[in-house]
Amino acid sequence: MVFMCKKFVIGAAVLATLGTFVFGRDVVSYVKTAGNSVRQAVKSEVPVDFEVDRARKMVEDLVPDIRRCMHVIAEQQVDVESLQNEIHESELAMKQQKEAMFTLRSDLESNDTEFVYASRTYSKDEIRNDLAQRFDRFKVATDTVKRNTQILRAREKALDANREKLENMLSAKMDMEVQIEQLDARLKSVQAAETVSNLEIDNSQLTRAKSLIKDLNKQLDVKEKLLDAEGKFTGLIPVDTKVEEKRDVVKQMDEYFKSKTGDRVAVQ
């Protein structure tokens, strides 16, 4: 194995040296040009229908990416809805706490020294301490809602961006599917045209067929002429045939002698 590797390295070095000797500094350019020529030659030999199928397969391979994008969007929708509910609940709780604080504040401003809440008596100092704790918690809750609202806006923006990305991917996939179907139709049309153009017709057979048709037409012409000729003598009314009339000798004699003597010839 080591021996084969050494032979390969030595052979490559010899080729590089020979190429540098023959082409000089342009050896790299020659190598790149040769590589491009080989790639173009190989690509030109690939059938078009194979390339169309390859394009169709590439479009089909977009489906997993689309599904992943859908999964991400679904997770983001759940997060956005959860955060929206959390903010809504926090705002409702803060509203109740605000009402409670103003109630305690109103009691502190009164002249009373003791206050009863839920059947329990509280002093003014206890009310003041409770109000202070409520107020501090309210401020923290306000900051939390503000921060969560900012997070919600960012998540909604990301969700909208991913939705737009998904719509673009789906639209592009549909457009490419239509283009591939158009390519496939054009390919079939070209293949059909190539089949017709490559179809070889036997000219000798065509010539013989034409000659036979010509001979048949001639034979039929002759038969029609014969039928026309025979029809003139058989089966027709003899319109132009004259019938010889019988000779009236007596009349001829009378006319003859009358013209000679002026009298009618007496019958003896």
Side-chain angles (χ1 to χ4, degrees):
M1 183 68 180
V2 176
F3 177 73
M4 293 296 295
C5 290
K6 288 183 178 180
K7 289 182 65 177
F8 178 77
V9 172
I10 294 173
V14 171
L15 288 176
T17 304
L18 182 61
T20 303
F21 177 76
V22 175
F23 299 107
R25 296 180 179 178
D26 296 330
V27 62
V28 177
S29 176
Y30 279 105
V31 171
K32 290 182 178 180
T33 303
N36 291 332
S37 299
V38 170
R39 282 194 297 271
Q40 292 296 330
V42 172
K43 188 175 181 180
S44 63
E45 294 298 326
V46 178
V48 179
D49 53 352
F50 177 82
E51 293 288 13
V52 172
D53 291 338
R54 189 166 72 93
R56 183 179 286 107
K57 181 64 170 58
M58 292 174 67
V59 174
E60 292 175 355
D61 290 340
L62 293 175
V63 174
D65 292 336
I66 292 175
R67 291 189 179 277
R68 282 193 293 269
C69 186
M70 288 180 175
H71 184 72
V72 171
I73 289 175
E75 288 183 341
Q76 288 180 333
Q77 285 178 331
V78 172
D79 292 339
V80 166
E81 291 174 0
S82 177
L83 189 55
Q84 286 175 341
N85 293 331
E86 182 180 345
I87 293 173
H88 180 67
E89 291 176 358
S90 297
E91 288 176 342
L92 289 178
M94 289 172 59
K95 182 179 180 181
Q96 294 175 353
Q97 288 299 320
K98 185 177 180 181
E99 292 175 354
M101 284 191 301
F102 276 93
T103 300
L104 294 174
R105 180 177 178 274
S106 177
D107 290 340
L108 282 176
E109 292 177 346
S110 67
N111 296 324
D112 297 334
T113 57
E114 292 182 351
F115 306 92
V116 179
Y117 297 103
S119 302
R120 183 176 175 181
T121 304
Y122 297 91
S123 65
K124 217 165 191 179
D125 290 335
E126 289 176 331
I127 296 297
R128 186 179 292 105
N129 292 333
D130 185 78
L131 179 59
Q133 292 179 6
R134 288 174 181 269
F135 181 59
D136 292 337
R137 291 177 182 179
F138 183 84
K139 289 191 294 184
V140 172
T142 302
D143 293 339
T144 302
V145 169
K146 183 178 180 181
R147 183 179 65 253
N148 287 340
T149 302
Q150 293 175 347
I151 295 174
L152 177 62
R153 297 292 176 265
R155 289 183 179 179
E156 288 176 340
K157 186 176 181 180
L159 178 59
D160 292 338
N162 285 330
R163 282 175 174 169
E164 183 178 0
K165 179 181 178 181
L166 177 61
E167 291 176 359
N168 292 335
M169 290 177 66
L170 292 173
S171 177
K173 181 176 178 293
M174 293 177 62
D175 290 342
M176 286 186 290
E177 287 175 345
V178 172
Q179 292 177 15
I180 288 174
E181 292 302 322
Q182 292 174 345
L183 283 173
D184 190 54
R186 289 183 61 190
L187 175 62
K188 287 184 169 109
S189 177
V190 171
Q191 289 174 340
E194 289 177 347
T195 301
V196 173
S197 63
N198 293 330
L199 182 64
E200 295 183 0
I201 300 177
D202 189 353
N203 291 329
S204 60
Q205 183 73 12
L206 182 62
T207 302
R208 288 195 297 271
K210 288 182 178 180
S211 178
L212 176 59
I213 293 172
K214 183 178 180 181
D215 291 341
L216 292 173
N217 282 323
K218 182 178 179 181
Q219 293 178 24
L220 292 175
D221 290 341
V222 171
K223 287 182 179 295
E224 289 175 352
K225 294 295 183 183
L226 288 174
L227 289 174
D228 290 341
E230 291 176 357
K232 292 180 180 180
F233 302 101
T234 59
L236 301 177
I237 298 176
V239 178
D240 54 349
T241 303
K242 295 181 179 181
V243 180
E244 185 178 357
E245 296 179 357
K246 292 182 180 181
R247 183 177 181 184
D248 190 354
V249 179
V250 176
K251 184 179 180 178
Q252 291 178 357
M253 288 178 62
D254 290 342
E255 291 177 353
Y256 178 77
F257 287 107
K258 184 179 179 179
S259 62
K260 294 293 186 182
T261 61
D263 297 325
R264 187 176 185 274
V265 178
V267 181
Q268 296 295 328

